[in-house]
Amino acid sequence: MSCARPPQNLGSSALLALCCLPAPAQAGFERTVDTIFAAATGWFVNIIFANLPGTSVPWIVGWLVLGAFIFTLYFGFIQFRAFGLALRIVRGCYSDPKDTGEVSHFQALATALSGTVGLGNIAGVAVAVSIGGAGATFWMILAGLLGMATKFTECTLGVKYRNEYPDGTVSGGPMYYIKKGFAERGLPLGGFMAGLFSVFCVLGALGGGNMFQANQAAIQVHGVLGIPTWITGMVLAGTVFAVIIGGIRSIAHVTEKIVPFMGIGYFLVGMLILLMNADHILWAFGEIFRGAFTDTGIIGGIVGAILQGFRRAAFSNEAGIGSAAIAHSAVRTKEPVSEGFVALLEPCIDTVVICTMTALVIIITQQLLIDAETGHYILDEAGRIATASGATGGVAITSAAFESAFGWAPYALSLAVFLFAFSTMITWSYYGMKAWTYLFGEGKSKEVTFKLIFCAFILVGAVSSLDAVIDFSDAALFAMAVVNIVALYILMPIVKRELNSYLARISSGEIKAQK
């Protein structure tokens, strides 16, 4: 099924013509678009990703981490107190099939995870370790644990303020809880902030949740298998359209199968490598703690480790972005807090488990090189920590780490990258569509319009390297967090009231396990 009708009233022939341009002509076209787009949007990108004074970390990362810390304290370390209850809810112990909603607790979790478990777990961790040293892993884990409280807050609100329609479908997310929650508290600007969030969400979905994923998957497949990028783009576009045309139920059915397969498969291969190097595991953890709390390392050691760890964790699990609340809003439940509990599992799985496993594999197999005389890491020409294999860059380091144990690793990694990109795209298509319909109204025709635009952007992303376009869309994605976390601060008393009520009814037996 073809979905190659691009936006802005271009015909499919024009898009195919772009794909078939000779490489020099296509490169010239990309440079022209990049230059024009950078000149128009560079100011916005620079604001969002500006560094905090005296550091090399964007202020937006500090914004996310501070929010996670405040929510952790405000809700009394809910991510630890409710972890067992969250697992029981995911298993369906408190589920009632008669409740309003479209997907189960597990399907909602799988759908949201498919949007976060991806290239960040493969390449992002390698970047953090190669720049911040082994100690960055500790701070990445800490940021993931704190982010669990943010996910709890935003996804509880997502269910509480969602729209429920007569045909059984629902729409929810930050745009709904901002508008309704502000109105409930008698506060102004709710409608404006909800609209602003939706605009950022659409742009982020088309870029960071779409074009970037397609681009990285096409490059990896081309590098290992030699398949032209436009073919990978066409396959992705057609496959994604076939899934998303069926709505959230179709997306959930796919993600509940793909996410466990790719996540568990990736984790098992990593654990097998760790078992093969079991005698080095304690040493690796020692390196992580030493790098986290001593000044041995690069660019200030502990500072570099903290910044890189928090940065990659924030970029990986999306806690505070508000995107996951859109997926979790579709769950079948009448208890908003129950889905908040389910959502807090995401950063634990994404960052604490999968990212930590990747970091351990890299630290053990790549053996970051340390100067025997100074005790500092040896840097390459680009200022990154040198590895024993000589591999540099995110995916290359992870690939080399896995290949050190299994010769077929690059091929398996290509499949993993393709599946991660695919699952991320189908989930972000839903996020973008819900923001689109919030702006332009509900209706099948409006949903299909966005889905066609989304699939066209997959092909554009696969065959192009429009860096400025992707930078802008990434900035829009993190601009979502600015609006969302302001709303979370204002609405968190409502979440606490819901939390106290739910836990009291669980304790009294009013809420009973269904099976």
Side-chain angles (χ1 to χ4, degrees):
M1 183 178 294
S2 173
C3 56
R5 190 204 311 169
Q8 300 176 355
N9 297 319
L10 293 176
S12 59
S13 59
L15 183 57
L16 291 175
L18 170 61
C19 300
C20 298
L21 280 175
Q26 185 171 319
F29 172 79
E30 292 173 8
R31 283 195 299 270
T32 300
V33 173
D34 243 19
T35 301
I36 295 173
F37 208 83
T41 64
W43 63 272
F44 177 71
V45 175
N46 291 336
I47 289 174
I48 295 298
F49 292 116
N51 291 336
L52 290 168
T55 75
S56 59
V57 66
W59 70 269
I60 190 65
V61 175
W63 177 252
L64 291 168
V65 173
L66 177 63
F69 182 73
I70 290 174
F71 299 133
T72 295
L73 293 180
Y74 185 79
F75 293 109
F77 297 88
I78 190 64
Q79 59 265 59
F80 305 112
R81 292 194 293 127
F83 194 86
L85 178 58
L87 292 177
R88 293 195 297 274
I89 294 173
V90 170
R91 292 202 305 268
C93 294
Y94 295 93
S95 298
D96 185 346
K98 297 179 182 178
D99 286 342
T100 302
E102 300 185 68
V103 297
S104 67
H105 286 293
F106 177 76
Q107 288 175 325
L109 177 63
T111 300
L113 273 173
S114 70
T116 59
V117 176
L119 299 179
N121 303 92
I122 296 177
V125 175
V127 171
V129 173
S130 68
I131 297 177
T137 308
F138 176 87
W139 300 107
M140 190 164 52
I141 294 170
L142 180 60
L145 292 172
L146 293 174
M148 294 168 70
T150 306
K151 281 288 178 78
F152 164 78
T153 308
E154 59 191 6
C155 293
T156 297
L157 290 170
V159 176
K160 179 172 177 59
Y161 290 107
R162 66 187 180 181
N163 281 357
E164 300 175 358
Y165 302 108
D167 62 356
T169 61
V170 299
S171 291
M175 48 280 197
Y176 292 93
Y177 63 66
I178 292 173
K179 184 176 181 178
K180 292 183 178 180
F182 277 44
E184 183 178 298
R185 303 202 68 183
L187 298 174
L189 300 179
F192 170 76
M193 289 179 64
L196 188 62
F197 176 90
S198 298
V199 170
F200 289 147
C201 186
V202 169
L203 295 173
L206 293 177
N210 184 349
M211 291 177 66
F212 173 75
Q213 306 296 326
N215 182 269
Q216 294 297 294
I219 289 174
Q220 177 72 8
V221 171
H222 176 72
V224 175
L225 303 178
I227 297 175
T229 56
W230 69 270
I231 292 181
T232 302
M234 290 293 288
V235 171
L236 275 172
T239 309
V240 167
F241 186 78
V243 173
I244 67 177
I245 195 64
I248 185 60
R249 289 186 176 93
S250 176
I251 293 172
H253 284 311
V254 172
T255 55
E256 74 173 340
K257 295 176 177 63
I258 288 182
V259 170
F261 169 75
M262 70 182 186
I264 293 174
Y266 182 74
F267 179 76
L268 288 178
V269 173
M271 289 302 297
L272 184 57
I273 295 174
L274 293 180
L275 289 175
M276 293 167 61
N277 297 274
D279 55 330
H280 289 89
I281 292 178
L282 288 179
W283 167 83
F285 274 111
E287 286 295 293
I288 289 172
F289 282 102
R290 183 183 63 80
F293 296 106
T294 70
D295 62 355
T296 301
I298 61 167
I299 318 173
I302 186 172
V303 176
I306 293 173
L307 297 186
Q308 284 302 318
F310 279 150
R311 175 186 292 186
R312 293 303 157 184
F315 285 12
S316 174
N317 60 50
E318 298 177 11
I321 301 295
S323 52
I326 301 174
H328 284 282
S329 297
V331 71
R332 282 191 296 271
T333 186
K334 61 177 178 293
E335 300 289 348
V337 170
S338 68
E339 194 59 20
F341 288 150
V342 171
L344 65 78
L345 296 173
E346 283 178 47
C348 180
I349 296 170
D350 176 275
T351 305
V352 178
V353 177
I354 298 180
C355 287
T356 301
M357 184 274 298
T358 303
L360 286 172
V361 170
I362 291 171
I363 293 167
I364 290 173
T365 63
Q366 295 302 283
Q367 295 189 16
L368 309 181
L369 300 180
I370 299 177
D371 188 297
E373 294 183 3
T374 65
H376 285 59
Y377 291 113
I378 299 173
L379 307 183
D380 61 19
E381 295 179 355
R384 295 168 298 208
I385 297 175
T387 60
S389 68
T392 60
V395 174
I397 291 177
T398 307
S399 182
F402 278 74
E403 190 176 10
S404 66
F406 306 110
W408 43 262
Y411 300 97
L413 199 64
S414 294
L415 175 61
V417 168
F418 185 90
L419 288 177
F420 284 163
F422 172 71
S423 65
T424 298
M425 284 188 286
I426 63 176
T427 298
W428 270 94
S429 73
Y430 180 73
Y431 296 162
M433 185 198 71
K434 285 302 179 182
W436 179 273
T437 55
Y438 179 85
L439 292 170
F440 300 107
E442 301 284 345
K444 287 295 182 183
S445 62
K446 293 168 184 175
E447 291 182 4
V448 172
T449 297
F450 178 79
K451 290 171 183 177
L452 288 170
I453 293 172
F454 188 88
C455 289
F457 269 72
I458 294 175
L459 187 53
V460 173
V463 302
S464 305
S465 298
L466 302 177
D467 295 332
V469 176
I470 294 177
D471 284 346
F472 173 73
S473 63
D474 281 349
L477 188 150
F478 285 100
M480 292 163 59
V482 179
V483 180
N484 183 51
I485 290 182
V486 168
L488 296 184
Y489 287 146
I490 293 172
L491 301 177
M492 61 185 186
I494 295 173
V495 177
K496 176 167 277 191
R497 187 169 65 242
E498 291 282 334
L499 171 64
N500 292 338
S501 171
Y502 185 79
L503 292 179
R505 285 179 288 136
I506 286 280
S507 298
S508 68
E510 181 180 343
I511 298 178
K512 296 182 174 63
Q514 297 294 316
K515 54 183 177 180

